[in-house]
Amino acid sequence: MAGSNRLNKPRHGSLQFWPHARAKKETTRVRNWTNLNTTKLLGFLGYKVGMTHALIRDNKSSSLTKGMQISIPVTIIECPPIKPLSIRFYKHTPYGSKVISEIFSTKVDKIFHISKKPNKEPADFDDIKLLVYTQPKLIGFKKQPNVLELAISGKKEEKLKLAKELLEKEIKVSEVFKAGQFVDVHAVTTGKGFQGTVKKAGVKIRRHKSEGTRRGVGTLGPWTPSRVNVAVAQPGKIGYHTRTEFNKWLLKISTKPEEVIPKGGFMHYGKVKNEYIILKGSIPGPTKRVITLTEPTRFVGKPLVAEITAISLESKQ
């Protein structure tokens, strides 16, 4: 209405995810793995450090700023080496894949209580996955290791050979990914706690003389039929959802933390002590949350090698 001081805004909050279910655990489950022509491990785990900005030289041929220095937001993820826990052998059945056997590593940390059953390699299997865990103690976190199954690309005989080679050693992120490529990021978003309908569902705030409450829905439904529709906005917990972001540009992999550590360390995190990677843009989750990185499942073209000229040493929230 012309001359009115009331704001008009569209509803917000994604309708692509329904219901807005909270994650069962911080370590995300990867539902889809890509198929590569080579035999290699398809994922890695790291911990979110924080954000800053970097100056890079734009090398895109179709860009208006080609050859110029541009400032872009970046996220730093610390990636201490991960250790294999076991090799799992799967058999496809009409009711889904089933674990038929498992070979455990002999160099597993004492925090894991492994049974002393003999390791068996089955004569016939359909797929192999490598069960790995993180080492938060190398960062200084008082956290339990995060355990996740990582897939391996290639034929099953080649998968078994690679899995046996990796079973008794630590795996570095530079052995899995290369600078310039794209990766998919799987993470659990920041939890917001119990919130009302305005923040949770984007309900419009009612006028000051409204009956009952201003920050709520006008009605839950009619008297007849006496039931509440599932689409009616209700207060409840929001956040802590499993989300995937596709095709994040991996700008750099480095073993020199002093290049990115600001004075006093990163806010709410501290200092980076291990190998780290730099991704363009933001990723889900708060500081110190475990992040799952995988090979991209959607075609994105050729890798782009970025020339980073400077990184800001100012700690960002």
Side-chain angles (χ1 to χ4, degrees):
M1 184 171 61
S4 174
N5 293 326
R6 298 180 64 180
L7 297 177
N8 180 24
K9 64 174 184 178
R11 71 166 309 282
H12 63 277
S14 175
L15 294 177
Q16 297 180 25
F17 305 96
W18 188 265
H20 287 258
R22 287 165 57 84
K24 295 182 179 180
K25 55 183 179 179
E26 283 191 4
T27 310
T28 57
R29 184 177 67 169
V30 181
R31 298 173 181 269
N32 188 23
W33 299 93
T34 186
N35 292 321
L36 301 178
N37 295 328
T38 59
T39 303
K40 62 167 294 186
L41 199 64
L42 295 178
F44 203 85
L45 295 167
Y47 291 92
K48 183 176 178 179
V49 176
M51 290 194 69
T52 183
H53 59 274
L55 290 176
I56 70 168
R57 192 173 304 279
D58 192 357
N59 57 6
K60 292 184 179 179
S61 59
S62 60
S63 176
L64 295 176
T65 57
K66 179 184 176 182
M68 300 170 58
Q69 283 190 350
I70 58 174
S71 177
I72 60 173
V74 295
T75 302
I76 299 174
I77 302 176
E78 188 170 3
C79 299
I82 58 175
K83 297 181 70 174
L85 182 62
S86 67
I87 303 173
R88 285 183 173 175
F89 298 86
Y90 283 88
K91 188 72 175 178
H92 299 327
T93 68
Y95 305 100
S97 298
K98 180 181 178 182
V99 179
I100 56 175
S101 184
E102 194 168 5
I103 298 179
F104 289 96
S105 172
T106 59
K107 298 181 180 179
V108 178
D109 292 350
K110 293 182 179 179
I111 191 172
F112 297 99
H113 302 284
I114 306 299
S115 62
K116 296 183 179 180
K117 294 181 180 179
N119 298 333
K120 294 182 180 180
E121 179 182 330
D124 185 27
F125 60 89
D126 294 324
D127 196 11
I128 284 179
K129 288 187 178 179
L130 191 66
L131 191 67
V132 301
Y133 61 93
T134 60
Q135 301 186 80
K137 61 183 180 181
L138 298 181
I139 304 177
F141 292 167
K142 294 182 180 179
K143 284 186 172 186
Q144 296 293 330
N146 298 92
V147 184
L148 182 68
E149 276 187 355
L150 297 180
I152 303 174
S153 63
K155 299 180 180 179
K156 65 178 185 179
E157 294 80 10
E158 298 172 347
K159 290 181 181 182
L160 179 58
K161 181 180 178 181
L162 179 60
K164 288 182 177 179
E165 293 176 358
L166 298 175
L167 186 60
E168 305 297 338
K169 71 172 188 176
E170 294 183 343
I171 307 170
K172 297 181 179 180
V173 66
S174 55
E175 299 173 357
V176 181
F177 299 121
K178 301 298 179 184
Q181 75 168 94
F182 293 88
V183 296
D184 290 347
V185 174
H186 310 261
V188 176
T189 61
T190 305
K192 307 291 185 179
F194 193 94
Q195 301 293 339
T197 55
V198 172
K199 182 178 179 67
K200 189 169 184 285
V203 171
K204 185 177 179 180
I205 298 178
R206 297 152 70 191
R207 57 175 297 185
H208 69 284
K209 283 191 173 182
S210 297
E211 183 179 353
T213 180
R214 294 182 62 211
R215 299 178 62 89
V217 295
T219 175
L220 292 178
W223 280 4
T224 305
S226 58
R227 59 176 178 268
V228 179
N229 193 289
V230 295
V232 177
Q234 300 272 28
K237 291 183 179 180
I238 183 176
Y240 206 74
H241 305 306
T242 302
R243 294 293 180 261
T244 300
E245 291 196 8
F246 298 98
N247 303 329
K248 307 296 286 189
W249 189 11
L250 200 162
L251 297 171
K252 185 178 181 180
I253 301 176
S254 178
T255 56
K256 299 178 180 179
E258 63 275 3
E259 295 178 348
V260 295
I261 298 177
K263 186 177 180 180
F266 282 91
M267 192 178 296
H268 307 301
Y269 187 89
K271 295 184 177 181
V272 179
K273 303 176 183 178
N274 302 275
E275 197 170 17
Y276 67 91
I277 67 172
I278 299 178
L279 294 179
K280 179 184 177 182
S282 62
I283 62 174
T287 297
K288 297 184 180 181
R289 179 144 296 173
V290 63
I291 306 295
T292 304
L293 306 166
T294 63
E295 290 285 343
T297 56
R298 301 179 179 180
F299 179 75
V300 293
K302 296 180 180 180
L304 300 173
V305 179
E307 181 186 346
I308 300 179
T309 57
I311 298 177
S312 174
L313 297 183
E314 298 178 5
S315 179
K316 304 296 181 182
Q317 181 69 26

